[in-house]
């Protein structure tokens, strides 16, 4: 079972989505990377993901990683946030990347925690860092930053040095503790 | 309004539930010897039994991934090795392998061999600490010292090759900072033949037939095969549950792949230990055996270490030139400046790449996005500690409070990697 068969199986199952697998990178000399990604619309993500996990031809049992990239100002980008699902098939031993593009002002993606429990914290992290909301997530809170932090630091419009939050932290002294 | 770390997770000490006499809520950490690093747990207890656990992380969050977008491909290596500081060299290698995947370069055979040796030294370094700490957390201090003692030798070896004991920053895009000094491989061989095996024997004699140790680790923190996959577990934690997955075998790279030197060399021969218990003891056994296999790998690689250059792409301005050239020839100096000046430097393709290494904790991968500039657009880490740690509350429920450190250590959580 090669990656091409997997992609063929997907195109067969979802003809209306016009799924196309593209290499993650094309080098200057025309070679392409062996890693493929696919664009999936947010509203169909769960159906596609469920198919990918359960179908014997695809069998992506594990969600290796879930992350997000802010494409604000990226050359050739049309959408702002790309939520990236890195899938691994232990049975067939191959990988596939799904990208779901969402935009301001309400970036929202359905949560895949019902399919892969391992998505729970990575989704919280993406919410924490990019402000992309995952509908249906059991416990969507900030994970690394304080709960009353308001900005989303990994967005491209957030400056490296912060927006003055550092000066705003609660100071605990021996007297007040 | 000031930003506070009050999560609504009360209490900060120990509190009794008013309605149930036996119910307690206990704060554990963030500063506690048994957490090893800075992380906090809020445990709900019924007597001494844990019935609920809420991890609270983020105390060491330092914005590494944001920094990665403002440092170039060689500079960021200094930051990545501060994630898993138990085996910093493994982070270096994983980061630069991902960047090389993005640039599409193939490194030299000698560099591959040296990186394999270092990656395995990193694995030994991490496992020795983790194996020793399994004893430490259950009250046996001696095993920890046996493990820690040998870690010192690895630090010395890494100092000799890179100049820095703890944070070597030894890899570079397309190669290494410098070649190994003469006689270094002999010291490595001596270490894997005469240093590690006695220490492992000591640890095993102390713990493996120790009734207290076995009773406190067997059947504790169990996770099954399918759950382990579904929860995205990798590394020794997954292999302790019978998941047959090791990137060194499944997606071979460096000297784990056949024909790694381009002249038909065979891949290094080693076995991937798998246990089926899924408990703390099973993970402990996997780590012990992995140390042995790592020694085997190092012996083989040293025996067939090829001669030749360690850097590729000098002419294409991919690698920094040798310091000897930079300081003593004008061409080398120009070459160096062409590489480091802010308006020059690399021109990577516009695109994305992912590369993962099987490190001591599991799959450590980097997802690098480039917009063609000097700095990565995004430098995402797939941190094994973070992803493995989310299963922790599930492992803990139903066990005694004294099992908390044992389970925590068996996942080998490194808080700096957890929070980044």
């Amino acid at each position: 079972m090669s990656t091409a068969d997997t992609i063929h199986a997907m195109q067969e199952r979802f003809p209306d989505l016009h799924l196309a697998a593209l290499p993650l990178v094309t080098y200057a000399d025309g070679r392409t990377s062996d890693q493929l990604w696919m664009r999936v619309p947010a509203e169909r993500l769960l159906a596609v993901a469920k198919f990918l996990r359960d179908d014997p031809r695809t069998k992506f049992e594990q969600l290796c990683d879930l992350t997000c990239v802010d494409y604000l100002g990226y050359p050739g980008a049309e959408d702002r946030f790309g939520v990236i699902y890195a899938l691994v098939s232990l049975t067939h031993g191959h990988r596939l990347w799904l990208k779901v593009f969402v935009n301001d002002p309400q970036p929202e993606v359905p949560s895949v925690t019902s399919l892969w429990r391992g998505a729970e914290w990575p989704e919280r992290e993406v919410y924490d860092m990019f402000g992309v909301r995952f509908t249906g997530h059991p416990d969507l809170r900030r994970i690394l930053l304080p709960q009353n932090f308001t900005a989303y630091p990994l967005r491209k419009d957030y400056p490296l040095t912060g927006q003055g939050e550092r000066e705003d932290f609660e100071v605990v002294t021996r007297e007040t503790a | 309004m000031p930003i506070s770390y009050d999560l609504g997770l009360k209490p900060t000490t120990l509190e009794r539930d008013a309605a149930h006499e036996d119910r307690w809520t206990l704060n554990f950490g963030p500063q506690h010897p048994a957490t090893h690093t800075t992380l906090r747990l809020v445990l709900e207890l019924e007597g001494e039994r844990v019935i609920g656990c809420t991890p609270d992380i983020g105390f060491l969050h330092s914005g590494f991934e944001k920094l990665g977008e403002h440092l170039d491909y060689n500079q960021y290596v200094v930051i990545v090795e501060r994630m898993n500081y138990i085996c910093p060299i493994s982070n270096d290698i994983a980061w630069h392998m991902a960047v090389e995947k993005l640039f599409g370069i193939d490194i030299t055979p000698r560099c591959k061999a040296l990186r394999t040796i270092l990656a395995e030294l990193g694995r030994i370094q991490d496992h020795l600490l983790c194996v020793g700490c399994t004893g430490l957390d259950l009250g046996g201090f001696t095993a920890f010292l046996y493990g820690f003692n040998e870690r010192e030798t690895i630090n010395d070896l890494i100092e000799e090759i890179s100049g820095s004991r703890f944070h070597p920053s030894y890899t570079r895009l397309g190669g290494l900072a410098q070649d190994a000094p003469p006689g270094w491989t002999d010291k490595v061989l001596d270490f894997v033949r005469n240093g590690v095996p006695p220490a492992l024997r000591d640890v095993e004699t102390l713990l493996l037939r120790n009734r207290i140790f076995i009773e406190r680790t067997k059947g504790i923190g169990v996770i099954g095969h399918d759950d382990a996959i579904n929860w995205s577990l990798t590394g020794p934690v997954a292999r302790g549950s019978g998941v047959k997955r090791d990137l060194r075998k499944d997606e071979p790279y460096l000297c784990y792949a056949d024909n790694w030197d381009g002249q038909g060399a065979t891949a290094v021969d080693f076995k991937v230990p798998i246990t089926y218990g899924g408990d703390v003891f099973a993970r402990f056994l996997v780590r012990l055996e992995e140390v042995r296999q790592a020694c085997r790998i190092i012996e083989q690689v040293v025996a067939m270490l090829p001669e030749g250059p360690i850097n590729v792409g000098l002419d294409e301005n991919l690698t920094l030139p040798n310091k000897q050239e930079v300081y003593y020839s004008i061409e080398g100096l120009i070459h160096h400046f062409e590489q480091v000046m802010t308006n020059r430097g690399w021109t990577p393709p516009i695109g994305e790449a992912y590369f993962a290494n099987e490190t001591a904790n599991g799959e450590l991968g980097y997802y690098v996005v480039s917009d063609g500039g000097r700095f990565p657009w995004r430098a995402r880490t797939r941190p094994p500690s973070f992803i493995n740690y989310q299963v922790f509350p599930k492992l803990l429920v139903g066990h005694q409070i004294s099992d908390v450190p044992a389970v925590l250590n068996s996942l080998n959580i490194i808080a700096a990697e957890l929070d980044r």
Side-chain angles (χ1 to χ4, degrees):
Chain A
M1 206 40 89
S2 70
T3 320
D5 295 332
T6 305
I7 288 155
H8 189 68
M10 281 182 75
Q11 284 162 341
E12 230 175 61
R13 171 69 183 76
F14 299 101
D16 56 320
L17 292 183
H18 306 292
L19 296 167
L22 303 167
L24 276 178
V25 58
T26 307
Y27 302 114
D29 55 3
R31 286 178 300 137
T32 54
S33 150
D34 51 351
Q35 302 173 326
L36 300 174
W37 70 276
M38 223 179 238
R39 185 188 182 118
V40 178
E43 59 277 8
R44 298 293 296 278
L45 173 69
L46 275 182
V48 173
K50 190 160 169 36
F51 171 78
L52 282 176
R53 189 192 64 170
D54 296 335
D55 193 88
R57 288 171 295 175
T58 51
K59 217 73 187 123
F60 286 100
E61 303 103 330
Q62 195 171 44
L63 179 78
C64 158
D65 193 17
L66 192 161
T67 185
C68 181
V69 178
D70 182 358
Y71 289 107
L72 180 72
Y74 188 81
E78 288 160 9
D79 303 285
R80 178 151 189 200
F81 299 106
V83 182
I84 298 171
Y85 299 79
L87 306 181
V88 178
S89 165
L90 275 64
T91 319
H92 303 308
H94 52 228
R95 291 175 185 268
L96 183 72
W97 281 263
L98 298 184
K99 282 193 198 174
V100 177
F101 289 101
V102 282
N103 282 297
D104 281 335
Q106 281 276 314
E108 246 182 23
V109 181
S111 164
V112 293
T113 41
S114 55
L115 299 170
W116 294 288
R117 297 295 304 275
E120 206 169 310
W121 280 21
E123 282 184 352
R124 278 178 70 184
E125 196 192 350
V126 168
Y127 166 66
D128 194 358
M129 295 294 160
F130 292 92
V132 176
R133 296 195 70 90
F134 291 87
T135 45
H137 189 284
D139 181 26
L140 195 67
R141 286 181 293 126
R142 282 184 181 267
I143 187 163
L144 297 177
L145 297 168
Q147 297 303 309
N148 52 359
F149 205 84
T150 48
Y152 300 108
L154 275 181
R155 287 188 175 187
K156 282 286 170 185
D157 50 11
Y158 186 86
L160 177 66
T161 45
Q163 294 172 334
E165 289 92 350
R166 186 186 280 257
E167 282 68 42
D168 210 21
F169 267 92
E170 188 181 44
V171 178
V172 182
T173 61
R174 201 166 279 280
E175 285 70 39
T176 58
Chain B
M1 195 181 115
I3 295 168
S4 70
Y5 267 104
D6 182 15
L7 253 184
L9 275 180
K10 297 282 181 188
T12 47
T13 50
L14 178 68
E15 209 167 68
R16 189 172 215 156
D17 192 332
H20 302 82
E21 205 174 67
D22 287 342
R23 293 255 171 113
W24 301 80
T25 315
L26 174 72
N27 177 64
F28 189 85
Q31 297 291 342
H32 189 283
T35 63
H36 294 289
T37 37
T38 315
L39 44 92
R40 180 179 173 218
L41 299 168
V42 176
L43 301 167
E44 285 163 56
L45 306 171
E46 199 172 74
E48 271 196 59
R49 211 161 55 86
V50 179
I51 55 170
C53 165
T54 315
D56 173 16
I57 66 169
F59 292 92
L60 291 180
H61 178 64
S62 0
F64 284 174
E65 286 178 10
K66 186 81 179 173
L67 272 172
E69 296 168 7
H70 295 265
L71 294 171
D72 77 26
Y73 295 100
N74 270 346
Q75 288 170 333
Y76 188 49
V77 76
V78 181
I79 307 288
V80 295
E81 63 190 9
R82 276 153 178 82
M83 291 181 190
N84 186 345
Y85 51 81
I86 303 298
C87 51
I89 192 76
S90 306
N91 296 253
D92 289 9
I93 295 169
W95 163 249
H96 271 125
M97 302 270 302
V99 175
E100 282 151 12
K101 176 101 191 166
L102 173 73
F103 278 73
I105 31 183
D106 198 19
I107 53 175
T108 64
R110 186 174 172 82
C111 176
K112 280 186 187 172
L114 283 173
R115 283 190 187 181
T116 313
I117 297 176
L118 288 164
E120 293 304 322
L121 281 177
R123 188 182 321 280
I124 298 176
Q125 201 177 15
D126 192 290
H127 283 349
L128 281 178
L129 185 76
C130 185
V131 158
C133 281
T134 314
L136 174 73
D137 287 338
L138 300 174
F141 201 82
T142 320
F144 169 72
L145 291 179
Y146 287 144
F148 217 83
N149 204 17
E150 296 312 314
R151 272 174 56 87
E152 281 306 303
T153 319
I154 300 181
N155 284 346
D156 290 346
L157 287 170
I158 286 177
E159 180 184 12
E160 200 170 324
I161 196 169
S162 73
S164 176
R165 269 168 65 77
F166 209 72
H167 290 301
S169 309
Y170 181 55
T171 56
R172 294 287 181 277
L173 176 52
L176 299 166
Q178 68 232 6
D179 205 342
W184 185 76
T185 47
D186 299 332
K187 288 180 191 163
V188 174
L189 266 190
D190 182 53
F191 170 66
V192 296
R193 281 184 185 148
N194 308 320
V196 184
L200 272 188
R201 264 200 304 279
D202 285 343
V203 172
E204 284 180 353
T205 327
L206 269 174
L207 299 179
L208 270 189
R209 295 177 64 80
N210 183 325
R211 194 172 155 190
I212 301 173
F213 179 77
I214 290 174
E215 282 188 0
R216 290 205 52 195
T217 51
K218 265 210 159 162
I220 305 291
V222 184
I223 183 152
H225 173 268
D226 293 350
D227 272 345
I229 293 175
N230 199 249
W231 280 92
S232 302
L233 298 184
T234 48
V237 185
R239 288 194 285 275
S241 302
V243 180
K244 294 190 184 64
R245 173 88 175 157
D246 189 315
L247 293 178
R248 291 175 293 172
K249 292 279 191 198
D250 294 332
E251 294 172 8
Y253 54 95
L254 293 176
C255 297
Y256 313 113
D258 276 324
N259 192 22
W260 53 270
D261 64 350
Q263 288 162 14
T266 48
V268 287
D269 175 39
F270 69 104
K271 289 194 165 56
V272 179
I274 311 261
T275 51
Y276 294 90
D279 51 10
V280 176
F281 191 62
R283 301 196 265 275
F284 174 76
L285 288 181
V286 168
R287 289 203 174 90
L288 269 184
E289 185 54 32
E290 275 189 10
V291 175
R292 283 226 168 76
Q293 297 297 329
C295 291
R296 263 185 73 196
I297 296 173
I298 292 176
E299 280 201 43
Q300 293 171 46
V301 180
V302 169
M304 56 187 179
L305 185 69
E307 292 296 322
I310 50 162
N311 288 333
V312 288
L314 278 169
D315 298 334
E316 295 90 44
N317 273 356
L318 282 173
T319 321
L320 287 173
N322 190 316
K323 283 285 169 287
Q324 203 69 22
E325 268 176 56
V326 177
Y327 295 144
Y328 298 103
S329 79
I330 187 66
E331 292 81 9
L333 191 68
I334 293 170
H335 188 166
H336 183 81
F337 274 129
E338 282 290 330
Q339 207 44 61
V340 299
M341 278 165 74
T342 47
N343 57 349
R344 289 183 172 73
W346 296 283
T347 45
I350 299 176
E352 315 184 356
Y354 177 81
F355 199 88
N357 276 16
E358 183 72 37
T359 62
N361 258 351
E363 176 173 342
L364 172 68
Y366 289 93
Y367 190 85
V368 194
V369 182
S370 147
D371 64 337
R374 288 182 74 224
F375 305 136
W377 184 264
R378 172 105 166 87
R380 156 74 178 170
T381 318
R382 187 234 183 249
S385 288
F386 180 78
I387 300 203
N388 289 356
Y389 190 41
Q390 53 183 335
V391 79
F392 182 66
K394 182 182 155 66
L395 297 183
L396 208 57
V397 168
H399 292 303
Q400 304 281 313
I401 187 168
S402 55
D403 297 327
V404 175
V407 178
L408 188 61
N409 179 67
S410 76
L411 295 179
N412 198 13
I413 301 305
I414 314 295
E417 186 181 71
L418 191 67
D419 299 343
R420 284 156 291 134

